[in-house]
Amino acid sequence: NMGTRLGTRHTETRTEVDEKKGFLATTLAVWEDSGAAGFWQGVVPSLVMVSNPALQYMFYEGLADRLKARHLASRQKNNAATAVVLTAAEVFLAGALAKLGATVITYPILLVKSRLQAMGKSTDQSMRYAGTLDALRRIVKDEGVGAFYRGMGTKVTQTVFAAALMFAAKEEIAKAVKLAYVQMMLKHKMKRL
C-alpha cells in the first residue's frame, strides 16, 4: 500500500530513504517488491474498517436513546413535561463507550490490515500472508486469539477520548443551532405582529 510505504519510510535506513524519494520511487519499489498485487495489500481489511464509524454511531445512538428513555421515565414519574436533552457529560460518556465498542469489534481487522500492508518489507516468512483470510487463520493458529488485541490499549487511548469530545461538541453545536433557529423564528414572528 502506497500510504503505508510513504508513512513508514522513517523506519528504514538512510540509504533506503535516499533511494526512495517521493511517490514515483515508492511506486517503483512496491512494484519491484510485490508486483501489481502490492498496490492492493490490505485493501479488503481497509474496506471492512469502514464499518468502525457505522458501529460507533449505532452504539452511540443506542446508548443515547437508553439515557433519554431513563430521563423520560424519571420525568414522567415527577409529572415534568420538558424535552429530554442529554448533558454534555452523558454525551461524552456515550461517545466514549460507543468508540470503545466499535474499536473492540474492528481492532482485529486493523491488525490484519497493518500486517498485510507491512509484509512487503518483511524478510520473515512467518510474517508473509496469502491474503486476509490466510492472515486471520495463521494469527489465530500461531499466536492465539489474544494476538488480535495486542497493542489495542494504545489505539483506545488515542481514539476514545477524541471520539467522546467529537460527540460532545457535535451535540453542543446542534443545541446551539436549534436555539439560534428558534430565536430567529420568534424574532421573525414578532416582527410580523
Side-chain angles (χ1 to χ4, degrees):
N1 175 299
M2 293 294 294
T4 301
R5 291 291 179 97
L6 289 168
T8 59
R9 286 191 337 184
H10 69 279
T11 61
E12 299 165 350
T13 66
R14 187 76 196 135
T15 307
E16 289 171 322
V17 171
D18 289 342
E19 290 174 10
K20 297 180 194 173
K21 292 184 179 176
F23 178 78
L24 292 177
T26 303
T27 302
L28 183 59
V30 170
W31 182 265
E32 289 173 353
D33 184 51
S34 306
F39 295 103
W40 304 105
Q41 289 173 334
V43 77
V44 171
S46 292
L47 292 173
V48 173
M49 287 302 295
V50 171
S51 66
N52 184 288
L55 289 168
Q56 178 182 333
Y57 278 100
M58 180 188 76
F59 290 149
Y60 172 77
E61 291 298 328
L63 289 166
D65 287 347
R66 283 187 178 176
L67 287 169
K68 287 177 184 175
R70 199 166 151 213
H71 284 299
L72 188 60
S74 173
R75 289 185 181 172
Q76 285 175 342
K77 197 185 317 179
N78 298 330
N79 292 327
T82 58
V84 176
V85 179
L86 297 179
T87 66
E90 290 170 323
V91 171
F92 185 89
L93 179 63
L97 291 173
K99 184 60 175 182
L100 180 62
T103 301
V104 166
I105 290 170
T106 59
Y107 192 77
I109 299 300
L110 180 63
L111 174 92
V112 169
K113 176 181 93 79
S114 297
R115 287 197 183 183
L116 287 171
Q117 290 175 334
M119 79 177 180
K121 297 181 294 209
S122 178
T123 56
D124 182 2
Q125 284 304 104
S126 70
M127 295 303 283
R128 291 198 164 273
Y129 305 102
T132 303
L133 293 177
D134 180 49
L136 287 166
R137 183 186 57 76
R138 286 183 40 208
I139 290 169
V140 168
K141 181 183 169 206
D142 298 343
E143 302 172 55
V145 176
F148 288 118
Y149 294 98
R150 242 181 258 133
M152 189 177 85
T154 304
K155 186 69 172 172
V156 165
T157 302
Q158 171 193 14
T159 61
V160 168
F161 185 71
L165 282 176
M166 179 200 65
F167 277 107
K170 173 192 140 325
E171 292 296 334
E172 292 303 311
I173 290 169
K175 285 179 199 175
V177 168
K178 286 178 187 173
L179 180 62
Y181 178 76
V182 167
Q183 289 174 342
M184 182 181 73
M185 293 306 290
L186 287 174
K187 188 184 271 187
H188 180 70
K189 193 172 186 178
M190 294 303 268
K191 283 183 181 179
R192 291 175 67 188
L193 295 177

